[in-house]
Amino acid sequence: MPVETIRWVGRLDGWVELVDQTLLPGEFTYVTCETPEQVWEAIRALRVRGAPAIGIAAAMGLVLGVRDSEARDFDAFMADLIQVRDCLATSRPTAVNLFWALQRMERTARDNADLPIPELKQRLLDEALRILEEDKDTCRRIGRRGAELLRDGDTVLTHCNAGGLATADYGTAVAVLFAAKEQGKHVRAFADETRPLLQGARLTTWELRQAGIPVTLICDSTAAQVMKEGRVSAVVVGADRIAANGDTANKIGTYGLSVLAREHGIPFYVAAPASTFDLSLRHGSEIPIEQRDAEEVTRWGGRATAPDGIEVYNPAFDVTPAKNITAIITERGVIREPNAEKIARLLGGGQ
Amino acid sequence: MPVETIRWVGRLDGWVELVDQTLLPGEFTYVTCETPEQVWEAIRALRVRGAPAIGIAAAMGLVLGVRDSEARDFDAFMADLIQVRDCLATSRPTAVNLFWALQRMERTARDNADLPIPELKQRLLDEALRILEEDKDTCRRIGRRGAELLRDGDTVLTHCNAGGLATADYGTAVAVLFAAKEQGKHVRAFADETRPLLQGARLTTWELRQAGIPVTLICDSTAAQVMKEGRVSAVVVGADRIAANGDTANKIGTYGLSVLAREHGIPFYVAAPASTFDLSLRHGSEIPIEQRDAEEVTRWGGRATAPDGIEVYNPAFDVTPAKNITAIITERGVIREPNAEKIARLLGGGQ
């Protein structure tokens, strides 16, 4: 079931390998990154995508960027690190896990300021690998907690890809289905194709089929119809950033699904690790939303699907207000009817 | 502004020409149909699409099918006509204008049972051309009535293509924008791209740009977001069949838009000719919904966009309940908060 999305090969002089998700489902290929610039490009071009996976990639990218640093003292080393960090931070603006991982790496460096530089470099690689390993565990916890919300025979509608490919290997929203199956429940899925880049059609269907979970692909605009037909037990999606009050940024289309789910009396769940919360933002309106290229919408496979030069509005994400969210499923617990107080209480235990 | 979607060339021994809409916006080409089978294929393959245009095509297809009939008496001629009618009626199941046009052609034949067969054939061609001409007039009336609902500066969100290409030449939902512009109002549009066949991206943007109306293309799943941003003054869509109570079948995705419009306090208008009403159906649940091929969703431009053999649910239409419709705009008048009584009253005047 798990797909190894990203890995570090070798020791400190090794490299990063990640599944090039732009080629799926046609081709399952790992690309190699040996520099932070290559990691930056892989994030930017969505070869690696999904908030937790972006965080892991950024942490590893930071290691690639500082391991050859010729700094002889800590301050010089940190100057190099900050430069790499600042570059990687520009790859994508919305998923907070990117910034969370970079901050964690920076803190690790500062906490070990007294180490000789070579040992500090090794400590940073260890930390990046720890982020990877923790993600595996985190996702399994999310899956198990979420699966408790599903009954035998349920059908889950999901959007975009919050599967193994969006994380180290097990997923968040899709992990809920994986875990439900492992618990012996018969569950099914509807996968929104998720325009413009079709992560649902290309990635989620592929993962679910590999896991032996029956999946039906639908156009994004068909979601309302399958809800109306009474065929959806729950909507489960991932998240790219969650504000302190529970407002959640996720792939464009998620907000509309939350409205439709409420209209049809269907529970709407967000599944995400604690690292997706950004307590520095009080409301979802403060979350920066990435605007992507018009060509994602106007071309497919090299062929124009709209008149040349037509104006396009192509936000990569939207924000679902907390009031539309039945519960947020994290590795630390499930927050029903999320609000600032409940979120602070759950995360207060040691984020 | 008007696009001549379909035309009859020459006299009774002539042929049908129609814009091959599957090639737009890349290529603007007329294809020729000399047999009812060619018209059937053109409807089925969506070379000609849009409820009113399908009606016109079917009427002309019927003429192509009977003009060479060797029947010597009326009964034999009608047997030939019924055979052609039944074939054309299988081309697409949802748009009622197809059946309406075929019935009208059949009635024309029966009303002229006393004519010599050659004259009867000419009468049928005249009737098909009358349907075409009436549609031009009908659409302009719909446009003018709808435009009265828009104010200067308004932005309309529309789905699929209910433009000139969906009719003889002027459109229904898009006609509202055309007419508003002719009235001197500055209006803008958001065009949903409309998966899977991208009629919004390929056709609506093309028509609006030709008409000089600013248009922004969005993915279907972005509609909720632009509504939330307060950028949509009204949603205006076409219709493929309207039941006696006002429930409206239209392109898949329309139902979801109606829910989202209500959530955001945005008026939701259906623009359609009186011929789109099917008073034989009490509720929208009785409208047959066409299911189309999985490959429309899983392939684009010859390239796979999903794993081979994945299950797909691909209904071409959904049904919007009358309660979600602010008004239905017809050539005979605007029906606000539509219900069976108001619809019967408006259409009673002589459908």
Side-chain angles (χ1 to χ4, degrees):
Chain A
M1 198 170 305
V3 178
E4 201 182 11
T5 306
I6 181 166
R7 60 192 176 209
W8 183 275
V9 180
R11 302 163 68 93
L12 189 55
D13 60 351
W15 59 87
V16 175
E17 287 182 353
L18 48 88
V19 177
D20 186 344
Q21 300 188 34
T22 64
L23 303 178
L24 282 171
E27 230 178 282
F28 183 82
T29 308
Y30 283 88
V31 291
T32 299
C33 297
E34 299 183 88
T35 68
E37 291 76 16
Q38 287 169 336
V39 172
W40 185 95
E41 191 277 339
I43 295 172
R44 184 78 191 163
L46 278 59
R47 299 187 203 291
V48 61
R49 25 85 28 218
I54 290 173
I56 298 163
M60 292 183 173
L62 192 87
V63 177
L64 293 175
V66 298
R67 64 171 174 195
D68 297 326
S69 165
E70 293 175 359
R72 302 218 167 177
D73 61 45
F74 180 75
D75 288 346
F77 182 78
M78 280 309 285
D80 287 350
L81 184 147
I82 298 296
Q83 201 174 7
V84 179
R85 179 202 71 182
D86 289 349
C87 164
L88 286 165
T90 64
S91 57
R92 293 192 74 191
T94 302
V96 76
N97 318 61
L98 171 73
F99 309 100
W100 168 86
L102 291 171
Q103 273 167 19
R104 183 166 153 174
M105 294 296 284
E106 185 184 341
R107 200 169 54 233
T108 299
R110 296 200 189 278
D111 289 349
N112 293 282
D114 53 338
L115 286 182
I117 302 296
E119 283 180 48
L120 183 51
K121 291 176 178 175
Q122 181 61 44
R123 194 63 64 95
L124 285 169
L125 174 56
D126 294 346
E127 189 68 15
L129 297 176
R130 194 169 297 124
I131 291 174
L132 175 82
E133 289 307 317
E134 283 177 11
D135 182 82
K136 293 182 182 179
D137 182 61
T138 294
C139 287
R140 279 160 182 77
R141 288 173 191 272
I142 291 171
R144 282 195 297 272
R145 289 190 185 276
E148 286 163 21
L149 302 172
L150 298 184
R151 287 161 304 190
D152 190 52
D154 272 359
T155 300
V156 166
L157 186 148
T158 189
H159 189 65
C160 196
N161 174 266
L165 290 162
T167 63
D169 72 350
Y170 194 75
T172 54
V174 176
V176 173
L177 284 158
F178 291 160
K181 184 179 159 76
E182 287 165 12
Q183 289 174 4
K185 292 172 182 161
H186 297 85
V187 289
R188 310 177 59 91
F190 282 108
D192 277 358
E193 64 172 2
T194 318
R195 284 284 291 157
L197 296 177
L198 302 173
Q199 293 92 336
R202 297 188 299 109
L203 310 177
T204 303
T205 58
W206 182 80
E207 283 194 37
L208 286 168
R209 185 155 76 175
Q210 289 215 326
I213 295 171
V215 55
T216 301
L217 174 64
I218 56 173
C219 292
D220 302 321
S221 64
T222 308
Q225 178 62 19
V226 295
M227 289 186 193
K228 191 180 174 206
E229 292 172 9
R231 298 164 74 187
V232 178
S233 319
V235 176
V236 189
V237 297
D240 289 81
R241 191 181 307 210
I242 306 175
N245 71 340
D247 292 352
T248 296
N250 190 48
K251 179 58 55 196
I252 186 74
T254 303
Y255 164 63
L257 286 178
S258 77
V259 173
L260 293 167
R262 215 182 46 190
E263 166 86 3
H264 296 90
I266 297 166
F268 183 92
Y269 300 120
V270 170
S275 59
T276 308
F277 287 86
D278 181 352
L279 300 184
S280 75
L281 306 182
R282 283 184 308 163
H283 297 287
S285 59
E286 298 166 35
I287 300 175
I289 298 298
E290 177 181 8
Q291 302 293 328
R292 292 189 62 90
D293 203 85
E295 291 213 344
E296 289 185 352
V297 181
T298 60
R299 303 192 74 81
W300 184 256
R303 187 173 151 191
T305 56
D308 277 349
I310 209 80
E311 185 179 313
V312 174
Y313 179 50
N314 184 25
F317 305 96
D318 57 27
V319 175
T320 298
K323 72 176 171 63
N324 287 6
I325 300 170
T326 309
I328 301 176
I329 303 161
T330 80
E331 73 275 25
R332 301 196 193 166
V334 173
I335 312 170
R336 289 180 179 276
E337 297 179 21
N339 60 32
E341 196 193 329
K342 293 180 189 175
I343 289 168
R345 202 183 311 143
L346 190 84
L347 298 184
Q351 194 193 22
Chain B
M1 197 170 306
V3 178
E4 200 181 14
T5 306
I6 181 167
R7 59 191 176 209
W8 183 276
V9 180
R11 301 163 69 93
L12 189 55
D13 60 352
W15 59 87
V16 175
E17 286 181 353
L18 47 88
V19 176
D20 187 345
Q21 300 186 33
T22 64
L23 303 179
L24 282 172
E27 227 178 284
F28 183 82
T29 308
Y30 283 88
V31 291
T32 299
C33 298
E34 298 184 89
T35 68
E37 291 76 17
Q38 288 170 336
V39 172
W40 186 95
E41 192 277 338
I43 295 173
R44 184 76 190 163
L46 277 59
R47 299 187 202 292
V48 60
R49 27 74 42 211
I54 290 173
I56 297 164
M60 290 183 175
L62 192 87
V63 175
L64 293 175
V66 298
R67 66 172 173 193
D68 297 326
S69 164
E70 293 176 358
R72 302 221 167 174
D73 61 43
F74 180 75
D75 288 346
F77 181 78
M78 280 307 286
D80 287 350
L81 183 149
I82 297 297
Q83 202 174 4
V84 178
R85 179 202 71 183
D86 288 350
C87 164
L88 286 164
T90 64
S91 56
R92 293 192 73 192
T94 302
V96 76
N97 317 61
L98 171 73
F99 309 100
W100 168 86
L102 291 171
Q103 274 166 20
R104 181 165 156 176
M105 293 297 284
E106 184 183 341
R107 198 168 58 235
T108 298
R110 295 200 190 279
D111 288 350
N112 294 282
D114 53 338
L115 286 183
I117 301 296
E119 283 181 45
L120 183 50
K121 291 175 177 175
Q122 181 60 46
R123 195 62 64 94
L124 286 168
L125 174 57
D126 294 346
E127 190 68 15
L129 295 176
R130 195 168 296 124
I131 290 173
L132 174 81
E133 288 306 316
E134 283 177 12
D135 182 81
K136 293 183 182 179
D137 181 61
T138 293
C139 287
R140 280 161 181 76
R141 287 173 191 271
I142 290 170
R144 283 195 296 272
R145 288 188 186 279
E148 286 163 22
L149 302 172
L150 298 185
R151 287 161 303 188
D152 191 50
D154 272 359
T155 299
V156 166
L157 187 148
T158 189
H159 190 65
C160 196
N161 173 265
L165 290 161
T167 63
D169 71 350
Y170 195 74
T172 54
V174 177
V176 172
L177 285 159
F178 290 160
K181 184 178 159 76
E182 287 165 13
Q183 289 174 4
K185 291 172 183 161
H186 297 84
V187 289
R188 309 178 59 92
F190 282 108
D192 277 358
E193 63 173 2
T194 317
R195 283 283 292 158
L197 296 178
L198 301 174
Q199 292 93 336
R202 297 189 298 109
L203 310 177
T204 303
T205 59
W206 182 80
E207 283 194 35
L208 285 168
R209 186 156 73 173
Q210 288 216 324
I213 295 171
V215 56
T216 302
L217 174 63
I218 57 173
C219 292
D220 302 323
S221 64
T222 309
Q225 178 61 20
V226 295
M227 290 186 193
K228 191 181 177 206
E229 291 172 11
R231 298 165 72 187
V232 178
S233 319
V235 176
V236 189
V237 297
D240 289 81
R241 194 182 304 211
I242 306 175
N245 71 340
D247 291 352
T248 295
N250 190 49
K251 179 58 55 195
I252 187 75
T254 303
Y255 164 61
L257 285 178
S258 77
V259 172
L260 293 168
R262 216 182 44 191
E263 167 85 4
H264 297 90
I266 298 167
F268 184 91
Y269 300 120
V270 171
S275 59
T276 308
F277 286 86
D278 181 353
L279 300 184
S280 75
L281 305 183
R282 283 184 308 164
H283 298 287
S285 59
E286 299 167 35
I287 300 175
I289 298 296
E290 177 181 10
Q291 302 294 328
R292 292 188 61 91
D293 203 85
E295 291 213 344
E296 288 184 353
V297 181
T298 59
R299 302 191 74 79
W300 184 257
R303 185 173 152 191
T305 56
D308 277 348
I310 209 80
E311 186 179 312
V312 174
Y313 178 50
N314 183 25
F317 306 96
D318 58 26
V319 174
T320 298
K323 72 176 170 63
N324 287 7
I325 300 170
T326 309
I328 302 176
I329 304 160
T330 80
E331 72 275 26
R332 300 195 194 166
V334 173
I335 312 170
R336 287 180 179 276
E337 296 179 21
N339 61 30
E341 196 192 329
K342 292 180 189 175
I343 290 168
R345 203 183 310 143
L346 189 85
L347 298 183
Q351 190 191 26

